[in-house]
Amino acid sequence: LVSVNPYRDVGAFKEEIANRYASSAPPEAPHLYATVTAALSDERARKHAILITGESGSGKTEATRAILQFLAMRHTSTDHIRERLLRTTPVLEAFGNAHTRQNSNSSRFGKLIEVYLSADSEVIGATLKPYMLETSRVAGGLPGGGGRA
């Protein structure tokens, strides 16, 4: 999945759109929700992966947030799991952000989110694992190791 930011709200993640893609006969048009629905409906595979890529500021975190919200609203039967899944989205922004020319909140970390599903595609848990993307920029610690020059 390649994420592209239109730099305006195009209404792609509205509730009525999510309802259409969660129905028994979702639209054929390409959409983030269609990707999730297709992955979950493939009964041949037990594990699914959705890789979101794009330039800085392209909306990768927003796309991830939309996927988590879609899963929380359509594939959870308990409020406890739904609330915990939705509360993870602020954490997505909390890892090592920096200012770039394109984005004042560009992450230096990738995020692997594993969502665990039951046999009937209900969300039963999730984990978030950050990993360093730009280790080439880490030259070493400061003298004295105290974090101050």
Side-chain angles (χ1 to χ4, degrees):
L1 178 66
V2 176
S3 186
V4 179
N5 188 346
Y7 295 101
R8 62 184 175 89
D9 185 1
V10 295
F13 304 131
K14 289 184 177 179
E15 183 71 22
E16 59 266 18
I17 302 292
N19 288 334
R20 278 192 268 161
Y21 281 94
S23 73
S24 59
E28 293 292 322
H31 191 280
L32 183 62
Y33 298 149
T35 302
V36 175
T37 302
L40 294 177
S41 65
D42 184 359
E43 295 180 15
R44 297 170 295 156
R46 292 181 39 89
K47 294 185 177 185
H48 312 282
I50 299 173
L51 174 66
I52 302 172
T53 187
E55 293 184 353
S56 178
S58 66
K60 296 176 295 293
T61 300
E62 190 62 32
T64 303
R65 184 177 299 126
I67 288 173
L68 292 174
Q69 288 174 343
F70 184 75
L71 288 171
M73 302 310 282
R74 305 293 172 244
H75 297 280
T76 56
S77 59
T78 65
D79 289 337
H80 173 73
I81 296 289
R82 183 178 301 117
E83 289 304 314
R84 291 191 72 177
L85 191 60
L86 291 174
R87 281 196 315 234
T88 63
T89 57
V91 176
L92 296 174
E93 294 292 340
F95 295 105
N97 294 334
H99 182 79
T100 66
R101 282 183 287 155
Q102 296 111 327
N103 183 3
S104 61
N105 195 27
S106 180
S107 180
R108 296 292 168 245
F109 288 84
K111 295 100 176 170
L112 172 65
I113 301 171
E114 294 179 310
V115 178
Y116 305 104
L117 305 171
S118 67
D120 58 343
S121 296
E122 289 287 318
V123 175
I124 56 174
T127 60
L128 173 65
K129 299 175 184 175
Y131 58 91
M132 186 77 165
L133 287 173
E134 300 182 10
T135 55
S136 62
R137 290 190 183 189
V138 179
L142 294 174
R148 297 174 191 227

